[in-house]
Amino acid sequence: MPKGYWVSAYRTISDPEKLAAYNKLAGPAVKAGGGRTLVRGGRVVAHDAGLAERTVLVEFDSFEQAVAAYESAAYQEALTALSDGVERDFRIVEGID
């Protein structure tokens, strides 16, 4: 079964305090949903129209598990804390089996 991934590329971080509040809640929510954070921040080399900003990659055992974790009450609480603190491109994608 193909794995599922959250891919989040941040365009701007306008409120670091909201991002910190989000991180405090999102980590446990991701773990409870079966997610494993593979990339969070770190070095970035951007090409084409990409931006060298914060990038996060989270792996789940399946696409369905990734969607369910996003829709969970715990992760929705994290999103409420994040609010308008960042602008990001967030996708849930299915890996190759």
Side-chain angles (χ1 to χ4, degrees):
M1 174 187 310
K3 294 185 178 185
Y5 296 89
W6 288 2
V7 182
S8 185
Y10 287 68
R11 299 181 198 287
T12 59
I13 299 171
S14 58
D15 191 331
E17 290 181 9
K18 286 183 179 180
L19 179 58
Y22 163 82
N23 286 336
K24 187 175 182 178
L25 296 169
V30 166
K31 189 172 183 179
R36 295 167 298 284
T37 302
L38 303 178
V39 175
R40 182 177 51 225
R43 299 186 329 167
V44 176
V45 175
H47 294 280
D48 302 324
L51 300 173
E53 286 291 341
R54 177 184 175 90
T55 302
V56 178
L57 176 64
V58 180
E59 179 182 64
F60 294 86
D61 289 336
S62 70
F63 179 80
E64 292 76 17
Q65 187 180 39
V67 170
Y70 182 87
E71 294 174 348
S72 72
Y75 189 71
Q76 292 302 305
E77 181 181 356
L79 287 177
T80 298
L82 182 60
S83 179
D84 60 352
V86 303
E87 180 186 352
R88 65 183 185 162
D89 178 357
F90 184 97
R91 299 165 190 234
I92 300 174
V93 298
E94 185 175 53
I96 298 172
D97 195 13

